[in-house]
Amino acid sequence: QGVSRTGAPMHFHVDAWNVLVHGQKRWFILPPMQGVYSSKPILKWLDEGYPHVKSLEFVQDAGDVVYIPRYWSHAVLNLQECVGMAVEFNHPYVS
């Protein structure tokens, strides 16, 4: 849950799915070999770090489900007020 212009900094973890119930988010994704972990707030990262990376990007709308594989770095910027849910999980065939 968050208001417009908030979000999550670049980070990674195990597999996760993310459903957006309300609002719109902009996603930035990097594969594991190019991944980064940052504590910079998303707007500061966009200002300072983003110009130096070539991330995959897309917009998630309400009702969309996004799957992020294990160790893929990702950050999100709420383009509108957002309500969503993310669930991390360990795949049974991957250690």
Side-chain angles (χ1 to χ4, degrees):
Q1 179 174 330
V3 297
S4 178
R5 299 181 52 81
T6 62
M10 241 333 148
H11 65 284
F12 55 87
H13 43 69
V14 297
D15 299 81
W17 60 264
N18 302 264
V19 62
L20 189 59
V21 177
H22 172 79
Q24 191 176 57
K25 293 182 180 224
R26 182 175 172 194
W27 285 78
F28 307 88
I29 301 176
L30 295 167
M33 297 304 287
Q34 298 170 1
V36 295
Y37 200 98
S38 176
S39 60
K40 284 185 184 180
I42 185 62
L43 288 177
K44 189 170 186 174
W45 180 80
L46 283 170
D47 219 21
E48 297 173 2
Y50 174 69
H52 306 292
V53 299
K54 299 260 190 229
S55 64
L56 304 170
E57 297 179 33
F58 61 91
V59 173
Q60 180 185 23
D61 294 308
D64 291 346
V65 177
V66 173
Y67 168 73
I68 303 294
R70 157 187 315 248
Y71 305 137
W72 280 64
S73 293
H74 53 283
V76 294
L77 173 65
N78 296 330
L79 300 176
Q80 302 172 352
E81 181 179 273
C82 290
V83 177
M85 184 174 87
V87 176
E88 295 179 24
F89 61 95
N90 282 317
H91 194 280
Y93 303 112
V94 179
S95 57

